[in-house]
Amino acid sequence: MIIDFKMKAPIPGWEALFESGKTGIKDVFPQLKNVTPTTSSSLTDVLQEMDKQGISHSVILGRNNDIGSSNEALQAFLAGPQGERFFGFIGIEDMTVTEAVETIHRFGRTGDFHGVAAIPSKIKPLTPIGDPGLDPIFEACLEYGLPFCMTLSLLISLISEKPDYDYIHPKQLIRVAQKYPDLKLIISHAAWPFVQESIAIATHFKNIYLCPDFYTAFPGGQQYIEAAKFGLENQILFASCYPNVPYHYAMEHYRREVLDDRIANKIFYENAQQLLKQHKSQ
């Protein structure tokens, strides 16, 4: 079985976001120029793709409280019969710290979510992820036992209001990981291109998890999987970033590097299962 730790789905209210995701980054990276987008357009199509790939569950990272990508729409979906194969993270994009904390309390108490998701460059005002001013967010996550997933990569930095190459550097997380050892910190995009730096901090802090997404196919990306063979087998997560790339593309590059069945099972399933504290039937 496989748990996909990052994807978008055409859930009610999110259809436009799903469609835009199919081609949204193809022109940004030459590595993706010739990748054929998925033809799926409905939730039924996506579920059929998941079945074909052996994906039992997927994680939908929330965005914000706005129409078209709202936490409300995600919550309604997760609580309904169609949400059985999905886990949702509360989205706190485009919010101040106070708004983010209020949102975590509002949705965290429902029990419908399994984590909190943020693109740090969209927190208002722009604040480095390691700044103490963000501590109320981390403490709210801990209150509900929710892991915190942040998207860090050069692409995310370049589209921020104040592009800064060092903004995504994994060193920003050292203070947070030290102060909150019980908080699970997941780096979506694994802070590429700071590959060795993200591997280094995960080596020193067992509460940090790396989710390389489609960056396993980028220069240096194979090192994330190699790190799993040398001590980080419990801290690497599979994520497709679907529909930005199709499932087969995402899985191909993970499987090409993983030769050990035991490690593959951890990356594709066990590590995510433990993080999510699964209670849904398999």
Side-chain angles (χ1 to χ4, degrees), residues 135-149:
D135 283 359
I137 292 176
F138 305 132
E139 289 163 7
C141 290
L142 280 170
E143 184 173 342
Y144 297 98
L146 299 173
F148 181 79
C149 181

Side-chain angles (χ1 to χ4, degrees), residues 50-68:
M50 288 170 59
D51 289 339
K52 184 178 180 180
Q53 298 294 339
I55 298 172
S56 62
H57 293 82
S58 293
V59 174
I60 301 175
L61 299 181
R63 305 297 288 265
N64 49 43
N65 293 330
D66 295 333
I67 295 174

Side-chain angles (χ1 to χ4, degrees), residues 149-194:
C149 181
M150 72 217 80
T151 303
L152 298 176
S153 66
L154 179 59
L155 172 63
I156 297 301
S157 178
L158 291 177
I159 63 175
S160 71
E161 61 182 52
K162 295 180 180 179
D164 182 347
Y165 189 72
D166 290 329
Y167 183 81
I168 59 161
H169 200 289
K171 66 184 179 183
Q172 301 279 355
L173 284 173
I174 292 176
R175 186 198 68 84
V176 182
Q178 287 178 327
K179 183 172 182 179
Y180 302 109
D182 293 329
L183 177 62
K184 306 300 184 184
L185 298 164
I186 304 159
I187 309 177
S188 179
H189 291 186
W192 188 91
F194 293 114

Side-chain angles (χ1 to χ4, degrees), residues 26-237:
K26 281 178 61 67
D27 294 333
V28 178
F29 298 115
Q31 291 87 349
L32 304 178
K33 184 177 181 179
N34 297 319
V35 175
T36 302
T38 179
T39 58
S40 294
S41 59
S42 69
L43 185 60
T44 298
D45 295 337
V46 172
L47 289 170
Q48 289 176 348
E49 282 201 76
M50 288 170 59
D51 289 339
K52 184 178 180 180
Q53 298 294 339
I55 298 172
S56 62
H57 293 82
S58 293
V59 174
I60 301 175
L61 299 181
R63 305 297 288 265
N64 49 43
N65 293 330
D66 295 333
I67 295 174
S69 61
S70 72
N71 287 309
E72 288 90 347
L74 180 54
Q75 181 190 17
F77 170 74
L78 295 170
Q82 290 184 312
E84 291 181 353
R85 292 179 61 180
F86 296 89
F87 295 94
F89 276 39
I90 302 164
I92 57 171
E93 285 186 14
D94 304 312
M95 298 182 189
T96 65
V97 172
T98 298
E99 291 169 338
V101 171
E102 291 174 350
T103 297
I104 294 170
H105 285 303
R106 176 184 172 190
F107 292 99
R109 65 171 61 99
T110 68
D112 292 326
F113 291 87
H114 284 74
V116 173
I119 295 180
S121 61
K122 292 190 175 184
I123 293 174
K124 299 178 180 180
L126 182 63
T127 307
I129 193 64
D131 191 283
L134 300 185
D135 283 359
I137 292 176
F138 305 132
E139 289 163 7
C141 290
L142 280 170
E143 184 173 342
Y144 297 98
L146 299 173
F148 181 79
C149 181
M150 72 217 80
T151 303
L152 298 176
S153 66
L154 179 59
L155 172 63
I156 297 301
S157 178
L158 291 177
I159 63 175
S160 71
E161 61 182 52
K162 295 180 180 179
D164 182 347
Y165 189 72
D166 290 329
Y167 183 81
I168 59 161
H169 200 289
K171 66 184 179 183
Q172 301 279 355
L173 284 173
I174 292 176
R175 186 198 68 84
V176 182
Q178 287 178 327
K179 183 172 182 179
Y180 302 109
D182 293 329
L183 177 62
K184 306 300 184 184
L185 298 164
I186 304 159
I187 309 177
S188 179
H189 291 186
W192 188 91
F194 293 114
V195 180
Q196 293 186 342
E197 290 88 343
S198 60
I199 290 171
I201 64 164
T203 297
H204 287 286
F205 300 102
K206 299 305 179 185
N207 57 329
I208 291 180
Y209 296 77
L210 305 180
C211 202
D213 313 330
F214 55 73
Y215 285 100
T216 53
F218 281 49
Q222 71 279 0
Q223 293 180 55
Y224 293 118
I225 308 303
E226 182 181 357
K229 305 173 187 177
F230 293 93
L232 287 187
E233 68 270 16
N234 297 321
Q235 294 164 262
I236 306 293
L237 302 166

Side-chain angles (χ1 to χ4, degrees), residues 8-21:
K8 300 183 189 78
I11 67 175
W14 284 44
E15 295 91 348
L17 187 65
F18 177 80
E19 287 299 322
S20 66

